[in-house]
Amino acid sequence: MEHGRAGGPAGAVCPGCGGGRVRTVEQARGGKGAMRDDLYGRLAPGPDKTGDGCVHVAEGLVLTGMGIAFAYVGVHQDKPLYLVGGAAFALLCFVGTIVVARSDGREKAAAEAGAQRAERLWRPAHYCSDCSSVFCPGHAPWQGALTPEQFKKLVWTEAGYADQLPTGDKARDAVLPSGVLPQR
């Protein structure tokens, strides 16, 4: 396949504005203007779940250790408030750590399970620098011009991890136009 000067297929034209400054979303995420327009986050194919679980477990164990230390001080200095408070704090932190670690594991598993579905929609997509829209040349596997937020919501929803869109992410509130996916 021939590629034009902007990195997209030769002759690719944006259906939104008719512009020709088109790049693949992968190129757009790391290319010129990506930082200014936050394209790395706005065009993300999925959640970044590397290392979250380990950090949360380490934090939880440190806090649990602090609770145990308070209980230890309570035993040796005959201070029942330290003993009861420290033991309760340690137990609460330990249970909380288990709950958070399991939740992290479920989220990571959902991201891994949906990666291929996300890739099917994300890989052929192109970004138009002129009008800031995302589209697929040839209208497959989806059609129409979308905002980066609509595109992110489409990819994350179809991959099965739209519930992991961060609070405050505009993609969370984006509304997808009807008929984007021809098979539906």
Side-chain angles (χ1 to χ4, degrees):
M1 171 183 277
E2 277 187 51
H3 287 278
R5 62 184 160 76
V13 176
C14 174
C17 70
R21 290 187 352 162
V22 173
R23 299 177 286 175
T24 64
V25 292
E26 185 174 17
Q27 292 168 334
R29 287 182 78 210
K32 183 177 179 183
M35 188 178 296
R36 178 187 65 237
D37 296 333
D38 187 28
L39 295 179
Y40 189 81
R42 292 171 66 202
L43 298 174
D48 184 17
K49 291 291 175 188
T50 55
D52 285 354
C54 293
V55 171
H56 290 144
V57 168
E59 291 169 341
L61 292 177
V62 166
L63 291 172
T64 300
M66 288 172 55
I68 292 170
F70 277 120
Y72 180 80
V73 168
V75 168
H76 287 295
Q77 294 182 3
D78 197 28
K79 295 184 178 179
L81 183 60
Y82 277 37
L83 173 62
V84 173
F89 182 70
L91 182 63
L92 179 68
C93 288
F94 186 71
V95 170
T97 299
I98 291 170
V99 169
V100 169
R102 288 188 55 155
S103 176
D104 286 344
R106 281 192 295 275
E107 288 178 355
K108 187 173 182 175
E112 289 171 357
Q116 281 188 321
R117 293 189 303 268
E119 190 74 12
R120 184 180 63 82
L121 297 172
W122 189 81
R123 181 67 53 195
H126 286 68
Y127 175 78
C128 175
S129 300
D130 293 335
C131 67
S132 297
S133 65
V134 183
F135 66 97
C136 276
H139 306 292
W142 55 275
Q143 58 193 5
L146 303 174
T147 66
E149 288 74 24
Q150 289 172 323
F151 171 69
K152 183 175 181 179
K153 183 165 189 168
L154 171 70
V155 171
W156 286 42
T157 300
E158 291 300 310
Y161 40 75
D163 60 329
Q164 294 185 45
L165 284 166
T167 304
D169 191 325
K170 292 180 183 177
R172 191 170 250 229
D173 299 324
V175 177
L176 294 174
S178 61
V180 172
L181 291 172
Q183 67 269 26
R184 291 200 180 159

